[in-house]
Amino acid sequence: MKQKLAQARATRIRLIAFDIDGVMTDGGLHYTDDGHELKTFNVQDGLALKLLQSVGLELAIITGRNSGVVAKRAADLGILHVFQGIGDKLSVLDRLRQQLGLGWDECAFMGDDLIDLRAMAACGLAIAPANARPLVREQAQLQTGAAGGQGAVREAAEFILAAQDKLDDAFAPYRQHASGART
């Protein structure tokens, strides 16, 4: 039942906002001796974000922490809407959706912890990775089988693309043409 609801809601999504720690990463915080922060991002998740962009979906990052690593990753992926150090993710998401001329039913939010709940509840589609806190998983219409930093973003992206009948279009540039296939 939840799967059908998630699929119906995914058909309308035009903006997907993501938390970082626990969603695009495994949630671990790694520091070097000189205090520099390190994060590990999943390359397949990165390609998923590019696939979403390739079919015209807007992406945003809304995270509670400030990190130069996040700014670098967002720049590498061409994500224009990046908000860091945000305690009230709902307010930021509301301003962004208004700026883009979108209704709440056209927005999705992927989060894993309590700070994400209000933004998730307002959106047409709430997504949680497998490692999300129990209350967050309960509130999500879509829960991925993969954990944050381990393909959860890819799974969510492919779910939305499939629901919108855009998965084949997104994959098309990567498929080998039948006439050029080797035997």
Side-chain angles (χ1 to χ4, degrees):
M1 181 68 169
K2 228 178 183 183
Q3 185 83 358
K4 284 190 182 270
L5 175 64
Q7 190 170 15
R9 289 179 175 215
T11 62
R12 297 187 296 271
I13 300 305
R14 294 179 49 207
L15 166 67
I16 309 164
F18 299 89
D19 179 35
I20 291 290
D21 297 315
V23 173
M24 287 193 186
T25 74
D26 66 4
L29 297 175
H30 309 276
Y31 294 96
T32 63
D33 286 342
D34 58 357
H36 289 94
E37 183 178 20
L38 305 172
K39 294 182 186 288
T40 301
F41 294 92
N42 184 295
V43 172
Q44 292 181 358
D45 284 350
L47 181 56
L49 296 169
K50 299 302 277 182
L51 294 173
L52 292 168
Q53 292 169 320
S54 76
V55 298
L57 296 177
E58 292 278 348
L59 304 180
I61 291 172
I62 305 175
T63 180
R65 296 178 37 79
N66 284 302
S67 171
V69 175
V70 170
K72 172 72 171 129
R73 182 66 173 153
D76 287 348
L77 294 170
I79 299 173
L80 304 177
H81 310 292
V82 181
F83 307 93
Q84 297 196 66
I86 304 300
D88 183 359
K89 295 182 182 189
L90 176 61
S91 294
V92 170
L93 184 57
D94 188 29
R95 284 193 302 275
L96 177 59
R97 83 161 178 91
Q98 288 180 47
Q99 174 189 334
L100 296 172
L102 301 175
W104 280 113
D105 64 323
E106 298 173 293
C107 300
F109 192 94
M110 186 169 188
D112 70 312
D113 212 339
L114 300 177
I115 191 172
D116 303 315
L117 279 175
R118 291 180 61 231
M120 290 172 68
C123 287
L125 181 62
I127 309 165
N131 58 297
R133 301 302 307 153
L135 182 59
V136 177
R137 288 194 311 266
E138 287 172 21
Q139 298 302 311
Q141 291 86 34
L142 176 62
Q143 181 182 334
T144 65
Q150 298 177 11
V153 170
R154 180 66 171 261
E155 189 177 328
E158 289 184 3
F159 181 91
I160 292 168
L161 290 168
Q164 295 184 4
D165 270 338
K166 296 179 179 177
L167 192 60
D168 286 339
D169 291 341
F171 283 6
Y174 303 96
R175 294 185 193 265
Q176 190 171 19
H177 296 287
S179 61
R182 289 186 253 182
T183 55

